[in-house]
Amino acid sequence: MRSWLIVPFTALFATSAHAAGPEAGRFSMSLSGGADVPLSGDVHDGAVAAIPDLGPLNPDLAGVDAELRIGARGHDRIYDLATTFGVEFAYAFDDRSEIFGQVRQTRAGEGTVQVGGAYVPALATELPVYGTFGAYEALSAELGYRYYFGTAGSARPFVGARLGATRTDEIRATFEIPDAAITIADAPFYDSGWAATGGLDVGVIMPVSDTFSVTLASGVRYVADLKDDDSAIGGLGLASINDTGSRFSVPVTLSARWDF
């Protein structure tokens, strides 16, 4: 029975001796998928704004003033884990280095958090303010360089760096003060637009055959500030809260790679 186990493993290691990976003049294509974990960066900043009359927001509160106290909220609190998938093409200079181009989609569903409070002097109390933010959807196009360690034909660690641009779709938000029956629905918050992006990679490539391998990778990604839209919140004195949107994250991806 042992011979039946030894033969397949012997064949696997024999194949791995000439396994996929960077080789001078060789191209490759990879399909990847995984998760993108937010590390830092705010979806909106904090601000304090006086509202002399709540009447335009709720006629029953005409003549009542309030102070909006909005706190900063990060990508981790609003969107948490994002999914990511992409396609990559690479060209190897030799068996240690290659350049690559990658197109990647990142998406996180809408999120709802308490964004702050509205202090109402007439009631001597602060009412909670909630915000629901539309899905985060971003398309990245990047170029990069990757360097491999170890011996060709075996599992090999690598490091890499990338630069490019990311187009983030429009994000709209709904703000609510339930205790005051106030809702600002579907307000523009970020316009769709492009922002600079970059990152550093670490990972390992694991051979399966002479034309196919699997890569496990992580690292850090950065997307610069998004394009703000103050048309709905500017009149409330909150125009500064969306002068941000940048994002640092840690991706964890698994890739299937074909060399040809």
Side-chain angles (χ1 to χ4, degrees):
M1 182 175 179
R2 290 182 179 177
S3 62
W4 288 100
L5 295 175
I6 294 172
V7 171
F9 278 104
T10 302
L12 174 61
F13 285 112
T15 301
S16 297
H18 302 284
E23 182 179 323
R26 202 171 188 179
F27 290 89
S28 68
M29 183 190 78
S30 300
L31 298 177
S32 64
D36 193 75
V37 184
L39 188 63
S40 67
D42 291 330
V43 174
H44 66 78
D45 287 329
V48 176
I51 300 181
D53 184 2
L54 292 172
L57 300 175
N58 181 349
D60 293 336
L61 298 176
V64 178
D65 68 307
E67 183 180 74
L68 288 177
R69 301 170 177 176
I70 305 301
R73 297 293 183 265
H75 283 269
D76 58 336
R77 292 189 61 178
I78 293 177
Y79 291 117
D80 198 15
L81 198 67
T83 57
T84 183
F85 61 91
V87 60
E88 173 187 300
F89 291 92
Y91 173 78
F93 297 113
D94 50 41
D95 65 354
R96 288 190 178 274
S97 60
E98 65 184 7
I99 56 172
F100 64 87
Q102 186 182 91
V103 176
R104 185 180 69 256
Q105 176 78 38
T106 302
R107 188 185 190 282
E110 70 172 33
T112 300
V113 296
Q114 182 177 344
V115 297
Y119 178 72
V120 183
L123 302 177
T125 189
E126 185 172 286
L127 308 178
V129 179
Y130 298 94
T132 298
F133 298 84
Y136 178 91
E137 297 185 357
L139 181 68
S140 301
E142 297 167 326
L143 296 175
Y145 172 82
R146 194 176 288 127
Y147 185 85
Y148 292 82
F149 302 90
T151 304
S154 61
R156 306 173 67 190
F158 64 81
V159 296
R162 59 180 68 212
L163 289 173
T166 293
R167 185 186 187 280
T168 304
D169 288 353
E170 177 190 43
I171 296 176
R172 303 179 78 88
T174 294
F175 297 98
E176 298 178 275
I177 310 177
D179 294 336
I182 291 175
T183 299
I184 301 174
D186 203 31
F189 202 73
Y190 286 116
D191 278 336
S192 59
W194 291 90
T197 185
L200 299 174
D201 303 329
V202 294
V204 60
I205 185 171
M206 296 164 284
V208 177
S209 74
D210 60 353
T211 58
F212 179 70
S213 58
V214 175
T215 299
L216 180 64
S218 186
V220 63
R221 298 283 184 274
Y222 172 73
V223 178
D225 287 349
L226 304 181
K227 185 179 179 181
D228 61 300
D229 185 336
D230 302 328
S231 58
I233 62 175
L236 300 174
L238 300 177
S240 65
I241 69 171
N242 56 354
D243 294 341
T244 182
S246 62
R247 173 187 175 94
F248 273 102
S249 63
V250 175
V252 179
T253 60
L254 186 65
S255 303
R257 169 174 170 144
W258 292 265
D259 288 83
F260 49 90

